[in-house]
Amino acid sequence: MAAFVLGSDPIARGEVIWPRWGRPTAILLLGVPHGEEQVRVGGVYPLTLRGEDHILVLMGAVMAVDRTPEGWPLVRWVGGRGRLHIPLRPRYYREVPARVVLDDAIRESGEVPGRLEGGKRLPAWVRVGEPAHMVLDRVCQAVGVGWRVTPSGEVEVGPEEWKPGGEFAAARMHGPGMWLLPLDLEVQPGTEVSLRLGGRSEQVRVGRVVHRLGRELSTEVWRA
């Protein structure tokens, strides 16, 4: 079985970006000839990455399938159901918890809501006609929370918090805010990790993780 798979299609190389806030995204070159891939635009598939000691599975949707000059399918994938770009109709709210506005936006777009912690009440709120992700941004900014798409594909909302994330060995450091590791699928955004490099350790709050797949396998850890 291939180490990296989208649905049932093997991945030859690619880049997977997993941010603290928002949704994971990926550009993936599939290891099958164009026209023979099983994934389809609009379909929801697991993106499965298998490492030596850990398996990472992210649920998401295929947004586009292009073809390279050599004839291989190049896929653009996003976490969730790929519906947060859908424009929502205007709507007016009065004296409701923020989570009600958030829940409506998520469901009306076609996404699946997860844990929603926008409990602050909104005396009045006008939802203008705009894409769902912009609605989420506005409401979250107003009540001091953030939204993210979870590995299972749900849209959840919560406050800034940092969970323990373990200790990892870094290969080198790129500037003050990014470390390069051998491919490590256990590192997650939203955690506080200890990175060892050159005999010293540094505590880092992880704001973004980038997995690069190909001949050279690596993980970038970006400080929040």
Side-chain angles (χ1 to χ4, degrees):
M1 181 177 293
F4 314 123
V5 182
L6 179 62
S8 59
D9 292 328
I11 298 168
R13 65 175 184 267
E15 177 185 78
V16 181
I17 303 175
W18 189 7
R20 167 75 173 117
W21 300 116
R23 56 185 179 175
T25 61
I27 299 295
L28 306 168
L29 180 68
L30 302 184
V32 293
H34 190 75
E36 296 184 14
E37 69 274 6
Q38 299 300 308
V39 299
R40 295 292 181 266
V41 174
V44 177
Y45 306 94
L47 171 57
T48 305
L49 309 180
R50 295 181 175 85
E52 293 183 2
D53 303 312
H54 192 75
I55 297 177
L56 175 63
V57 180
L58 303 173
M59 291 298 300
V62 172
M63 303 300 289
V65 179
D66 298 316
R67 185 168 73 178
T68 68
E70 297 78 20
W72 302 96
L74 188 65
V75 174
R76 183 165 63 89
W77 173 99
V78 299
R81 297 195 173 187
R83 305 283 295 176
L84 290 176
H85 66 287
I86 301 296
L88 302 180
R89 294 177 298 175
R91 190 167 177 177
Y92 177 74
Y93 296 86
R94 185 174 180 83
E95 290 295 342
V96 297
R99 64 173 173 270
V100 172
V101 184
L102 294 163
D103 185 78
D104 286 347
I106 295 167
R107 293 182 187 276
E108 290 175 32
S109 71
E111 296 282 350
V112 178
R115 183 185 61 152
L116 303 178
E117 295 190 22
K120 183 178 178 180
R121 294 189 70 83
L122 299 171
W125 187 267
V126 178
R127 189 182 82 187
V128 299
E130 61 185 0
H133 69 86
M134 296 182 67
V135 175
L136 298 181
D137 288 342
R138 292 184 192 277
V139 179
C140 287
Q141 184 176 11
V143 298
V145 293
W147 68 270
R148 68 185 69 83
V149 173
T150 67
S152 61
E154 298 178 340
V155 182
E156 73 172 22
V157 174
E160 187 78 271
E161 57 184 9
W162 302 95
K163 300 178 181 178
E167 186 177 57
F168 303 92
R172 61 181 182 270
M173 185 177 182
H174 287 260
M178 192 273 272
W179 288 259
L180 185 67
L181 285 63
L183 184 68
D184 198 317
L185 303 177
E186 292 188 68
V187 187
Q188 296 189 21
T191 61
E192 185 169 0
V193 302
S194 176
L195 296 179
R196 302 191 312 274
L197 180 62
R200 59 187 293 266
S201 294
E202 184 167 354
Q203 295 299 118
V204 176
R205 289 181 171 179
V206 182
R208 181 172 59 168
V209 174
V210 181
H211 298 302
R212 299 194 182 278
L213 317 174
R215 292 182 179 177
E216 294 186 5
L217 306 176
S218 64
T219 296
E220 296 174 5
V221 177
W222 291 79
R223 185 193 299 275

